[in-house]
Amino acid sequence: MIPLFRVPMSAQAPDAVAAVVASGQVGQGARVEQFERELADRIGNPHVATLNSATAGLHLALRLVRGSTPGGEVLTTPLTMEATNWTILANGLDIRWVDVDPATLNVDLDDLAEKITAKTRAIMIVHFAGYPVDLDRLHGVLDRAEAIHGHRPMVIEDCAHAWGATYRDVPLGNHGNISVFSFQAIKHLTCGDGGLIVLPNEDMHRRAKLLRWFGIDREGPNRLRNPPDVQEWGYKFHMSDINAAIGLANLSHSDEVLRRHRANAAYYDSRLAGVPGLTLTQRAPDRQSSFWIYPLQVDDRNGFVKRMDAAGVMVSQVHMRNDVHTCVRDYIDQLPALDVVDKRLVCIPVGWWVSDDQREYIVDTVDSGW
Ligand SMILES: Cc1ncc(COP(=O)(O)O)c(C=O)c1O
């Protein structure tokens, strides 16, 4: 079976981990600091803080923006991994679903514009499959909302799929919002498990670093002998040196991983465009997807899945719509575009492990059934 996901681990990772384990310093230390410096350089934004997952990053992002008055809404996409949305509930906020744009599988910015109200505390977007949301258009939507409502909700970018993606030649994580990346096992850059929050300014960066570790300043002198007063309670969300060592060992390896995802996607784009019965997603010239997954929309999904299964190619929808879960039944809304997309969405293997022969075989199998 050609798998849909694999763990991209560099050959240097086992030795890097062994060195940390033998060093006596396994918690957050020098490896974390080095990893953060290198990540900041790549993104072009110094305000980064590593974490133990993207889920932790989304919890923290919402905590940073939710303010002290209880309640309020977060506009969000239902087409994502549940981590994106359950963190909204965990922060005591209400969900307001925004429909998807079938061309991109990201949030529909027209629907989003209509749903911003005085109650909107934050806007959660997901760069689905690693394809960036049109961030300048979103900026314009927020300018108009600010003129009407007198406040500008913060945008949180869930970049869990999107390591290495760029918008207008600038890496995600550098567009004035809060961005959260995942370094979980099957992402382009893996730490085993891990995440990153990227902040738009130094004040938020300082607060995020405090809140990731109980509200205690780990960088201050004598923190163990004379713990400083905790002004704001925080979480245990930090990354360990073990995970950072894996991430550091994988950092340059992830460039090759990303290159191969993109090369396979370009091959699919050229061979699958115009094939009857299936629709590809948009490719705008101002952004570069990371192609963590390669989504298609197909007319007969059950038939498609059976055919690919029989041919030994694993395919899947990857993310189920979140709005149908019992725990969010209070937020149910009309989402006509999602109703259509949800029946047609399926992803084919696109990752670094898919060889030239395999991708040709996958295209021939996709193309054979219509
Ligand atoms: C869109 C999205 N957001 C958040 C997450 C959570 O990431 P993590 O496993 O690093 O917490 C995932 C995980 O795959 C995801 O796909």
Side-chain angles (χ1 to χ4, degrees):
M1 191 64 119
I2 302 173
L4 197 51
F5 295 112
R6 281 189 62 189
V7 177
M9 195 60 74
S10 89
Q12 281 75 49
D15 284 350
V17 171
V20 174
V21 170
S23 73
Q25 164 65 60
V26 295
Q28 182 190 332
R31 299 300 198 291
V32 165
E33 279 171 27
Q34 189 190 340
F35 191 37
E36 288 181 348
R37 277 195 302 274
E38 298 201 15
L39 293 169
D41 276 357
R42 277 166 176 261
I43 293 170
N45 180 344
H47 305 125
V48 305
T50 51
L51 302 164
N52 54 32
S53 67
T55 307
L58 295 167
H59 278 286
L60 188 51
L62 285 159
R63 170 79 182 277
L64 291 173
V65 303
R66 77 181 182 209
S68 45
T69 13
E73 279 180 357
V74 179
L75 303 188
T76 185
T77 173
L79 188 61
T80 180
M81 204 254 153
E82 283 75 359
T84 312
N85 290 317
W86 291 184
T87 56
I88 298 171
L89 305 177
N91 272 278
L93 296 162
D94 290 320
I95 285 173
R96 180 122 194 239
W97 300 118
V98 180
D99 210 351
V100 299
D101 175 355
T104 61
L105 304 175
N106 291 331
V107 274
D108 176 335
L109 294 178
D110 292 327
D111 193 39
L112 182 106
E114 277 178 27
K115 288 176 174 167
I116 299 178
T117 68
K119 285 194 286 185
T120 311
R121 286 287 170 82
I123 291 172
M124 182 74 90
I125 57 170
V126 175
H127 303 292
F128 191 89
Y131 186 75
V133 170
D134 189 340
L135 293 170
D136 283 356
R137 215 183 125 208
L138 175 59
H139 195 83
V141 166
L142 288 170
D143 286 346
R144 284 188 291 284
E146 189 173 9
I148 297 168
H149 303 293
H151 89 117
R152 190 181 185 94
M154 193 78 199
V155 174
I156 300 170
E157 298 176 42
D158 181 338
C159 305
H161 298 178
W163 178 250
T166 59
Y167 178 76
R168 307 226 152 139
D169 294 328
V170 176
L172 295 186
N174 212 348
H175 294 273
N177 306 313
I178 300 181
S179 304
V180 174
F181 291 89
S182 172
F183 303 141
Q184 175 260 352
I186 55 173
K187 299 298 172 7
H188 299 92
L189 170 58
T190 182
C191 293
D193 237 332
L196 183 76
I197 187 164
V198 190
L199 292 313
N201 58 54
E202 185 46 33
D203 280 352
M204 280 190 151
H205 185 213
R206 202 174 311 112
R207 195 167 159 228
K209 283 199 287 181
L210 283 172
L211 296 188
R212 81 171 157 182
W213 201 69
F214 304 110
I216 299 172
D217 184 359
R218 285 178 75 96
E219 290 161 14
N222 290 328
R223 69 177 168 79
L224 290 179
R225 274 197 226 152
N226 299 307
D229 178 45
V230 172
Q231 297 189 359
E232 198 182 5
W233 65 266
Y235 313 90
K236 189 175 186 230
F237 282 171
H238 69 293
M239 179 177 278
S240 75
D241 265 16
I242 297 176
N243 295 102
I246 300 174
L248 280 166
N250 283 330
L251 201 49
S252 44
H253 182 65
S254 72
D255 295 335
E256 178 52 24
V257 167
L258 188 63
R259 195 196 64 73
R260 187 68 200 171
H261 280 246
R262 285 185 171 143
N264 285 337
Y267 177 82
Y268 290 148
D269 284 357
S270 68
R271 294 263 338 256
L272 293 176
V275 170
L278 63 85
T279 316
L280 306 185
T281 44
Q282 180 192 84
R283 313 278 177 248
D286 63 355
R287 56 207 100 150
Q288 259 208 310
S289 177
S290 63
F291 289 106
W292 180 58
I293 47 180
Y294 190 92
L296 299 172
Q297 291 165 69
V298 297
D299 288 349
D300 168 22
R301 188 173 56 197
N302 281 348
F304 182 87
V305 171
K306 273 194 200 134
R307 181 152 47 83
M308 299 306 279
D309 252 6
V313 181
M314 190 180 170
V315 299
S316 151
Q317 190 171 340
V318 180
H319 295 314
M320 307 296 290
R321 59 189 292 174
N322 291 181
D323 59 322
V324 294
H325 289 291
T326 304
C327 64
V328 285
R329 69 179 158 216
D330 292 351
Y331 305 116
I332 204 81
D333 205 346
Q334 301 292 316
L335 303 169
L338 179 63
D339 291 342
V340 177
V341 164
D342 183 56
K343 292 185 180 64
R344 303 186 72 221
L345 175 64
V346 67
C347 302
I348 58 175
V350 71
W352 53 273
W353 59 93
V354 178
S355 67
D356 288 6
D357 286 349
Q358 286 175 328
R359 70 189 190 188
E360 195 178 333
Y361 171 71
I362 290 171
V363 166
D364 290 344
T365 314
V366 169
D367 207 3
S368 67
W370 311 105

